[in-house]
Amino acid sequence: MKTDNNTEREALFQQRVDNEEKIEPKDWMPDEYRKNLIRQISQHAHSEVIGMQPEGNWITRAPSLRRKAVLLAKVQDEGGHGLYLYSSAETLGISRAEMIEALQSGKAKYASIFNYPTLSWGDIGAIGWLVDGAAICNQVSLQRTSYGPYARGMVRICKEESFHQRQGYEIMLVLAQGNEEQKRMAQDSLNRWWWPSLMMFGPHDSESAHSAKSMKWKIKRETNDDLRQKFIDQTIPQIEFLKLDYPDPEIKWNEERGHYDSGELDWEEFYAVIKGDGHCNRERIQHHVKAHEEGEWVRQALHAYNEKKRAQKAA
Amino acid sequence: MSTEKLELFEVFIRSKRGLDHRHIGSLHAEDHEQALEYARDCYTRRSEGVSLWVVKSGDIVASQEDDSESFYDPSDDKPYRHATYYKLPDEVNNM
């Protein structure tokens, strides 16, 4: 009887998804859908929060007060985006503490691009332009995801994200139009961040473990490879405008496809970084744990103050 | 026991799947359950929505417009939080 019931429910659920209706927190949903969403949304949230580290690295060294204020505002936004996403995952019945635990113990992943170091000021430009650019590609698509709270979070995030990419490109523009040393810096940052940015879209569709189900349930709306191509196509004219060299010698317009062709990614590197062997994996998690532990006294103070107020009210 | 002074509830309605709940009005009720039933009777007579929230008005903590100096003022001198602050050439301006 129970199975019948579930088959029926699942049919209704899929019908809703097929009709482009959103799924809301109190609706029945297949366990796998819930699990898949928790994995994806929490991974997304962790990426926002861990992503604060490579950029935070340059707040004290930004070349002007203006740049410092902008970078602070951007990093602050990323923290906010983490909050929206954690809250959205919490509507699925997982607690914030469980998610943080999964991140810190290595059970949960985050975008592996944040395991690369930020070596120069040019990297801050490249991150805003390329990393946020790739994230926006993905997030614009996710505004149409089937889970209501996730979709609404994406709308909010995309609205705020628009300045991130522009400030990054503005940094690149200034460097690319500067002296020889500045141009070299811009080129070096483009070369180093190009490939990891393309990897942000995940493995090829044929290799992607979660893709088929996610597309059927409309958690994902476009495939990894389609989104990656979209990003490449929109970014190459921006590289040309900077008058920088292509970071990949195989980049070439393909008239027949109506898209740019480009070289194959180094998937060995991709999986090595995911498995924990990137430049900064250990450092990122250690820093997160340290910040969390060092914040413990603040949480305790808040709690103690609350207790005191309650006692005063009772008296 | 007073039967005149029922508690005040605020009602929020989701007009369509995928949209946020929006405040639509208030009503008096004995408890949450009754408030939800009243809300259904008062606010969804013409298929206005697919989901209702009721919240005790007393549980809502609100900021006031007078607070704006300390609450919202700092935003005005941070124009760089807006995309339009960054002037990019036309060729790449669709970013």
Side-chain angles (χ1 to χ4, degrees):
Chain A
M1 270 324 273
K2 196 170 163 261
T3 350
D4 274 1
N5 214 345
N6 264 355
T7 322
E8 222 169 273
R9 281 170 171 167
E10 186 147 3
L12 184 71
F13 165 87
Q14 188 62 48
Q15 196 182 9
R16 226 170 231 164
V17 171
D18 293 343
N19 290 343
E20 295 291 327
E21 286 177 52
K22 299 292 180 215
I23 305 301
E24 296 293 349
K26 309 253 163 163
D27 292 339
W28 182 89
M29 58 187 89
D31 286 344
E32 270 296 298
Y33 177 82
R34 188 185 299 274
K35 252 195 255 165
N36 223 320
L37 270 174
I38 289 177
R39 184 189 53 76
Q40 181 171 327
I41 302 176
S42 67
Q43 187 171 315
H44 198 159
H46 298 326
S47 303
E48 300 281 356
V49 170
I50 295 294
M52 295 164 82
Q53 289 185 41
E55 289 188 292
N57 184 37
W58 280 89
I59 289 175
T60 54
R61 280 171 283 168
S64 70
L65 188 57
R66 175 179 179 272
R67 294 290 187 200
K68 189 197 284 253
V70 169
L71 188 55
L72 260 176
K74 179 179 189 296
V75 172
Q76 187 186 24
D77 271 3
E78 308 299 1
H81 296 173
L83 173 69
Y84 304 163
L85 285 158
Y86 283 127
S87 310
S88 151
E90 281 176 294
T91 64
L92 291 159
I94 187 168
S95 73
R96 184 94 49 104
E98 285 173 283
M99 289 187 271
I100 299 292
E101 205 282 318
L103 169 68
Q104 295 189 341
S105 68
K107 257 184 288 165
K109 305 286 180 215
Y110 52 89
S112 58
I113 192 143
F114 300 120
N115 291 316
Y116 291 83
T118 40
L119 304 176
S120 74
W121 174 249
D123 289 2
I124 299 305
I127 288 182
W129 170 35
L130 300 173
V131 179
D132 286 85
I136 289 169
C137 252
N138 191 31
Q139 290 171 165
V140 164
S141 173
L142 285 173
Q143 290 182 110
R144 296 187 299 121
T145 187
S146 58
Y147 188 55
Y150 193 23
R152 290 190 287 277
M154 283 301 111
V155 172
R156 236 157 271 149
I157 287 178
C158 284
K159 218 180 275 173
E160 297 185 356
E161 197 91 58
S162 57
F163 104 71
H164 296 181
Q165 196 188 13
R166 289 172 72 92
Q167 65 84 35
Y169 195 75
E170 195 199 56
I171 292 174
M172 295 302 283
L173 204 55
V174 169
L175 291 176
Q177 293 170 350
N179 62 29
E180 282 311 310
E181 201 183 337
Q182 286 173 310
K183 278 184 212 167
R184 263 202 309 276
M185 184 187 274
Q187 184 70 55
D188 170 59
S189 294
L190 167 59
N191 293 350
R192 277 185 294 109
W193 290 92
W194 173 253
W195 297 105
S197 296
L198 296 185
M199 290 177 192
M200 284 175 72
F201 295 98
H204 282 311
D205 299 343
S206 52
E207 307 287 322
S208 176
H210 307 285
S211 259
K213 266 263 161 85
S214 289
M215 292 292 288
K216 179 179 167 229
W217 284 332
K218 301 196 177 176
I219 294 176
K220 278 192 191 175
R221 301 309 309 258
E222 288 166 275
T223 69
N224 296 354
D225 286 329
D226 286 349
L227 285 168
R228 183 163 25 235
Q229 184 70 58
K230 198 181 261 186
F231 174 72
I232 291 172
D233 289 345
Q234 75 185 35
T235 306
I236 287 173
Q238 296 162 2
I239 297 175
E240 289 169 355
F241 186 80
L242 292 173
K243 298 198 170 62
L244 294 177
D245 296 331
Y246 291 153
D248 166 8
E250 290 181 53
I251 288 176
K252 215 176 120 208
W253 177 249
N254 183 327
E255 189 67 51
E256 207 172 305
R257 289 203 310 132
H259 292 291
Y260 284 96
D261 290 337
S262 54
E264 188 56 52
L265 305 181
D266 182 351
W267 294 109
E268 229 168 273
E269 176 179 324
F270 175 78
Y271 287 110
V273 178
I274 286 188
K275 287 198 182 98
D277 286 329
H279 290 284
C280 304
N281 296 56
R282 286 165 210 83
E283 191 186 325
R284 298 292 185 239
I285 294 302
Q286 274 165 13
H287 185 80
H288 191 278
V289 170
K290 182 168 165 259
H292 194 70
E293 283 171 357
E294 286 178 355
E296 176 60 18
W297 73 269
V298 179
R299 294 186 287 276
Q300 279 181 5
L302 278 173
H303 186 70
Y305 179 67
N306 235 336
E307 293 282 289
K308 201 167 116 185
K309 268 206 308 197
R310 201 169 307 153
Q312 273 170 354
K313 240 183 222 168
Chain B
M1 189 186 104
S2 164
T3 52
E4 295 300 320
K5 288 200 170 154
L6 295 183
E7 211 158 348
L8 188 63
F9 287 81
E10 301 299 327
V11 182
F12 298 80
I13 193 162
R14 187 203 299 290
S15 58
K16 213 181 121 204
R17 281 170 177 279
L19 299 180
D20 287 308
H21 285 78
R22 287 186 64 172
H23 186 241
I24 185 158
S26 4
L27 48 75
H28 285 161
E30 279 285 354
D31 59 15
H32 285 101
E33 214 170 311
Q34 199 183 54
L36 197 59
E37 283 170 8
Y38 281 179
R40 178 199 62 198
D41 295 345
C42 292
Y43 292 111
T44 65
R45 293 195 303 275
R46 291 173 188 81
S47 57
E48 284 90 341
V50 293
S51 162
L52 284 166
W53 282 351
V54 290
V55 182
K56 280 186 187 171
S57 307
D59 283 344
I60 292 180
V61 181
S63 74
Q64 299 298 321
E65 232 175 288
D66 302 346
D67 298 338
S68 61
E69 209 168 307
S70 56
F71 252 70
Y72 307 112
D73 190 49
S75 313
D76 296 338
D77 59 5
K78 293 183 169 61
Y80 48 81
R81 283 182 171 154
H82 298 273
T84 45
Y85 174 78
Y86 304 90
K87 305 275 175 265
L88 297 185
D90 287 345
E91 289 88 336
V92 288
N93 208 21
N94 60 353
M95 197 175 278

